[in-house]
Amino acid sequence: MQPKVWRHIYALDVGAALTLTAVYVGFARLTADDGQPAYTGPFWLGCLIAVMVGLPIAVRRRWPLAVLVTVLAALATASLLDIPREPYAAAGLAAYFVGLAEPTRRSVPALAVTLPTACGAVYLGEAVVTPAEDWRGAAGVAGLVLLVIGGAWGMGFTVRGRRTEAARDLRRRSERALDEERLRIARELHDIVSHNLSLIAVKAGVAGHVAESDPREARAALKVIEEASRSALVEMRRTLGVLRTEGAPLGPIPDLDGLDSLAAEAHRAGVNVDLTVHATEGLAEGTQLTIYRIVQEALTNAVRHAAPTNCQVRVEADAREIRIDIADEGPPPTPRQIVRELPGGHGLLGMRERAMMYGGTFEAGPRPEGGFAVSVRLPAEGNH
């Protein structure tokens, strides 16, 4: 809460404290002309009681329990001396903040002591010490005091419960947002590292295989490794820089214009890509990033598990849905071909999560004619 607001709140408490003090000083000066018992003790004692009733309210937010005890003791004494002409408003103000600020283990016992003490003092003052009412009238006044103090404490306790629940809900939302951000960062890092390392691994294998027989091909493979390494470092530094520095500028977010670069990188790693992008103008930035990452991961899997091969990538959109289809032909047949394990690690999981995040569908699996296919459908609503 801002300091200016706190100053206003404390000013209200001070105003209430001074008002209650002045009212009780006035009560101590009243006579019995109205037919009610009047205070007949020394005026200084009446003023002292008035000060103890009113002034502690000014600091009720700092010491709620101490203020309630002081005010209750002063009001009980005042009731036995026939000073009060109101239903314990000061005790109600103090009890409200006990219910609001104190934990249940302290506020409930405090209320359990306050209510019988206040009601007992009022009843004794009204019906026993200086009888001004019969027992029914005294019980009615005591009931009014109980209602004022108990109602004020109940309101404070209710507000405390609502604030606690609101804080708990805010904490849950913050934790959920943090988890979502961690998942997003994990997906981005996986896409960056997996894609570039797959290119590096494939080309390193090529370079090692042809280093002696075809130095030119080996140099070309090393050139691809150099470019992929540089690209990975740049993207990693950008992502980690955002994590380290609040407000750090983000680089350009990949979009559908980057699909050609993905196809070119895959081609250098041995996957010939037939890319078709149709009717995707005006897609939202987040949707374009999702499409880019799905295509990137699918091509990474093709490079890792099927190169050299051919791969068809189609991205199309209409008024109803966005369709993303990636299918490769699988690795070339060899005399002793070993069935490869299908890619089922974090890559496919990341693609599925990206699709589900937009309420879409995801399918992936081997093709009957050979190779592997990924099919994603995203709803078009809200993406244009």
Side-chain angles (χ1 to χ4, degrees):
M1 193 175 292
Q2 297 179 354
K4 186 176 181 180
V5 177
W6 274 117
R7 286 196 295 270
H8 286 186
I9 290 175
Y10 279 118
L12 289 175
D13 283 349
V14 171
L18 294 176
T19 300
L20 285 168
T21 302
V23 166
Y24 267 77
V25 169
F27 288 163
R29 296 174 61 90
L30 289 177
T31 64
D33 293 342
D34 59 356
Q36 295 292 323
Y39 171 65
T40 57
F43 182 63
W44 66 266
L45 180 58
C47 290
L48 178 61
I49 292 174
V51 167
M52 292 181 65
V53 169
L55 288 188
I57 297 302
V59 291
R60 65 184 180 132
R61 298 174 190 275
R62 188 179 294 269
W63 301 293
L65 275 177
V67 168
L68 178 61
V69 170
T70 303
V71 169
L72 181 63
L75 284 171
T77 303
S79 293
L80 297 177
L81 295 176
D82 297 319
I83 294 178
R85 300 291 179 92
E86 55 85 32
Y88 278 33
L93 290 174
Y96 171 82
F97 218 80
V98 168
L100 177 67
E102 294 291 342
T104 303
R105 68 178 184 276
R106 289 203 291 265
S107 67
V108 171
L111 180 70
V113 172
T114 298
L115 291 181
T117 301
C119 294
V122 169
Y123 186 83
L124 288 174
E126 291 285 328
V128 177
V129 177
T130 309
E133 304 268 3
D134 59 15
W135 70 270
R136 293 184 182 86
V141 176
L144 181 60
V145 169
L146 183 148
L147 182 63
V148 169
I149 298 176
W153 180 90
M155 286 191 294
F157 189 79
T158 301
V159 172
R160 174 186 173 83
R162 289 177 179 174
R163 289 180 179 177
T164 301
E165 183 59 33
R168 189 179 297 117
D169 183 61
L170 178 61
R171 186 168 59 252
R172 283 196 298 264
R173 282 183 291 165
S174 298
E175 291 173 353
R176 186 164 58 250
L178 182 60
D179 290 340
E180 291 174 355
E181 183 65 11
R182 285 172 175 166
L183 181 60
R184 185 188 69 81
I185 292 170
R187 282 197 299 259
E188 290 296 311
L189 289 176
H190 172 270
D191 291 342
I192 293 168
V193 173
S194 177
H195 177 71
N196 288 285
L197 286 185
S198 293
L199 293 179
I200 292 171
V202 170
K203 283 302 179 181
V206 171
H209 184 68
V210 301
E212 295 182 1
S213 61
D214 192 346
R216 181 179 299 178
E217 180 67 20
R219 284 193 297 271
L222 292 174
K223 181 65 174 176
V224 173
I225 292 173
E226 179 187 3
E227 293 174 355
S229 301
R230 234 184 237 120
S231 175
L233 284 174
V234 169
E235 293 194 56
M236 287 283 288
R237 284 170 181 163
R238 182 189 303 138
T239 303
L240 295 177
V242 172
L243 294 178
R244 291 194 188 104
T245 307
E246 184 177 356
L250 285 168
I253 296 176
D255 55 21
L256 299 187
D257 292 337
L259 294 182
D260 289 331
S261 297
L262 287 180
E265 291 176 2
H267 178 73
R268 289 198 296 271
V271 176
N272 297 318
V273 179
D274 178 13
L275 176 65
T276 302
V277 180
H278 181 65
T280 56
E281 296 80 7
L283 291 181
E285 189 177 77
T287 304
Q288 293 194 49
L289 175 61
T290 295
I291 296 172
Y292 178 93
R293 292 304 188 195
I294 289 173
V295 173
Q296 181 185 49
E297 183 58 39
L299 290 179
T300 298
N301 285 340
V303 168
R304 183 186 299 132
H305 298 280
T309 190
N310 297 316
C311 183
Q312 186 176 61
V313 177
R314 295 184 63 85
V315 179
E316 299 177 316
D318 56 30
R320 188 173 60 88
E321 66 179 6
I322 302 164
R323 296 178 293 278
I324 309 165
D325 294 295
I326 306 102
D328 65 69
E329 297 178 357
T334 60
R336 298 178 61 187
Q337 183 176 0
I338 300 175
V339 178
R340 297 171 181 251
E341 182 181 352
L342 294 178
H346 294 295
L348 291 182
L349 178 61
M351 286 190 279
R352 184 184 302 277
E353 288 173 348
R354 290 182 184 277
M356 297 300 137
M357 188 169 58
Y358 281 86
T361 62
F362 172 84
E363 295 180 1
R367 304 165 64 202
E369 62 273 27
F372 198 83
V374 172
S375 179
V376 178
R377 298 292 182 265
L378 302 177
E381 183 180 357
N383 285 312
H384 289 273

